[in-house]
Amino acid sequence: MERKEEVALLKGQAEIWQHLFAFADSMALKCAVELRLADIIHSHSVPITLSQIASAIDSPSPDIPYLSRIMRSLVYKKIFTEHHPSDGGETVLYGPTHTSRWLLHDAELTLAPLVLMENNQWQLAPWHFLSQCVKEGGIAFKKAHGFEMWDFAARNPEFNKIFNDAMACTTKIMMGVLLAEYKDGFGSIGSLVDVGGGTGEMIAEIIKQHPHIKGINFDLPHVVATAPVHEGVSHVGGNMFEAIPNANAILLKCVLHDWSDEHCIKILRNCKKTVPQKTGKVIIVDIVIEKDNDDLFQETRMVYDLLMMAHTTGGKERSELEWKQLLKEGGFPRYKIIKLPSITSIIEAYPE
């Protein structure tokens, strides 16, 4: 075997090892969030010792050697920093990073609830059924739990809360980007319905910045039942496959990627019945897959497509060509894509 081929094989082996144990990074991240390591470290103005971290963990007797190994992994992944004293002493100090800020529990912008949700045993189980789905079709989540995810959430209040908390945290992140990059898009809208709006955070923030809009938060009855009161927003329970409340415009944030083309066409046709034919529009906030995109979020977009396969009822991420076809069949022959500094883009769709 030539030296060049040996090196290539060795590199290939190393890459498979990395992919093989990629789940361990997720588990270390989950551990960090559960122990509130970012909160502890960020609460100090200077880097702190392992003992200081341990003393702030909610436990009468934390295992320091275990904690040390978790911290070593998180430092290696550049989630925290490690400082060695200049006097040559052995006491290591741990500090925060821009990355660890996204693991804070009480921060306005955080990914901590999403870390807990995606690494929860209920959400991990369906991943074990992907090969079965390839062989025989079907829905991975249903194979794992006996119900599709939305039905499972309706029957399981604990899962429903974990899921809603995770959706609320990602909504806040996307909301900031949307309000900054699309502010002109809301100017001429008199009424807006957020379809699949969860507990209403997204529409509430839009109304706060654009108080002339009449806001409607629309989701399944068990979801809006737990929604807080938001000024200028009315909560409506229902089923988007049956009917959508009337409005000048409709917001679909990370909704269509949860569903098959057939389901999406039903939703879009209901949207078409709802918005004015000449002036109405649908604002879709979702991923657009581009093969040649190499921005910060491209790898995550590709993973999201598998995530849809694991958790949803035929959901998937779509290319522009796939979006175009879907919109056309749903009754929206014209569209415009607005790129965002985010995982998602805006697809503005018009009924004629």
Side-chain angles (χ1 to χ4, degrees):
M1 192 184 295
E2 288 184 21
R3 176 67 183 152
K4 194 175 177 182
E5 191 179 350
E6 276 182 25
V7 171
L9 270 174
L10 192 64
K11 184 172 179 283
Q13 183 197 147
E15 285 174 2
I16 292 297
W17 281 109
Q18 285 174 352
H19 296 318
L20 168 62
F21 289 117
F23 73 90
D25 293 336
S26 294
M27 292 298 110
L29 213 54
K30 182 189 180 192
C31 176
V33 171
E34 288 175 334
L35 296 176
R36 293 179 170 258
L37 299 182
D39 301 82
I40 294 166
I41 291 169
H42 279 259
S43 68
H44 291 74
S45 56
V46 293
I48 58 174
T49 66
L50 201 61
S51 298
Q52 285 175 294
I53 297 171
S55 66
I57 289 173
D58 182 21
S59 166
S61 54
D63 189 304
I64 303 283
Y66 276 172
L67 177 61
S68 172
R69 288 156 69 183
I70 292 290
M71 288 305 299
R72 179 170 63 187
S73 172
L74 294 168
V75 165
Y76 179 74
K77 288 292 176 180
K78 296 182 170 56
I79 290 164
F80 297 113
T81 58
E82 186 179 87
H83 306 268
H84 296 270
S86 54
D87 60 8
E90 292 182 6
T91 307
V92 178
L93 301 174
Y94 297 94
T97 65
H98 288 298
T99 306
S100 61
R101 281 171 61 177
W102 290 96
L103 301 180
L104 294 168
H105 281 77
D106 301 321
E108 182 65 22
L109 296 179
T110 177
L111 284 167
L114 191 67
V115 171
L116 294 177
M117 190 267 280
E118 292 296 354
N119 292 291
N120 181 282
Q121 59 186 2
W122 288 313
Q123 290 289 56
L124 289 174
W127 287 96
H128 294 281
F129 291 86
L130 293 190
S131 57
Q132 204 171 317
C133 286
V134 170
K135 287 178 180 177
E136 60 193 32
I139 297 156
F141 197 95
K142 190 173 183 179
K143 290 177 190 290
H145 298 299
F147 298 99
E148 292 173 29
M149 188 167 69
W150 316 115
D151 294 333
F152 188 77
R155 289 170 166 81
N156 186 325
E158 188 185 347
F159 176 75
N160 191 46
K161 184 179 186 317
I162 291 167
F163 184 84
N164 284 340
D165 286 349
M167 293 305 98
C169 91
T170 55
T171 292
K172 278 186 183 175
I173 294 165
M174 289 181 192
M175 197 158 50
V177 177
L178 184 67
L179 290 170
E181 303 285 329
Y182 188 68
K183 48 182 179 286
D184 297 339
F186 294 116
S188 59
I189 295 172
S191 55
L192 176 68
V193 56
D194 186 358
V195 174
T199 49
E201 281 76 11
M202 186 84 169
I203 190 85
E205 281 301 316
I206 292 169
I207 303 307
K208 209 179 280 182
Q209 291 207 15
H210 302 275
H212 68 279
I213 297 175
K214 177 192 171 190
I216 301 160
N217 179 52
F218 181 66
D219 212 311
L220 293 167
H222 77 269
V223 176
V224 296
T226 65
V229 174
H230 298 295
E231 193 176 338
V233 175
S234 55
H235 295 293
V236 178
N239 186 329
M240 63 188 171
F241 295 108
E242 293 167 8
I244 291 167
N246 287 334
N248 300 139
I250 290 171
L251 178 64
L252 289 165
K253 181 193 71 68
C254 299
V255 170
L256 297 182
H257 76 161
D258 287 334
W259 298 97
S260 68
D261 290 351
E262 293 73 24
H263 284 99
C264 288
I265 289 163
K266 273 187 193 173
I267 296 166
L268 288 166
R269 285 179 181 168
N270 284 338
C271 289
K272 190 176 181 185
K273 290 176 194 170
T274 292
V275 297
Q277 191 65 19
K278 293 196 182 296
T279 58
K281 65 180 174 180
V282 175
I283 305 157
I284 299 164
V285 182
D286 235 320
I287 286 172
V288 179
I289 294 284
E290 298 173 86
K291 278 186 180 175
D292 300 325
N293 192 340
D294 60 353
D295 72 2
L296 289 169
F297 297 105
Q298 183 62 358
E299 192 168 333
T300 306
R301 291 187 192 105
M302 300 304 290
V303 170
Y304 250 92
D305 187 45
L306 294 181
L307 185 72
M308 294 303 105
M309 191 172 158
H311 291 166
T312 67
T313 308
K316 59 183 177 179
E317 304 303 350
R318 295 172 171 93
S319 65
E320 180 175 351
L321 198 62
E322 289 171 314
W323 278 115
K324 182 180 180 179
Q325 186 63 29
L326 196 67
L327 291 168
K328 187 179 173 185
E329 289 187 47
F332 293 86
R334 289 196 305 117
Y335 71 94
K336 177 172 74 176
I337 292 177
I338 303 163
K339 290 192 178 184
L340 301 173
S342 164
I343 291 171
T344 55
S345 296
I346 292 169
I347 306 164
E348 219 177 41
Y350 321 100
E352 56 170 59

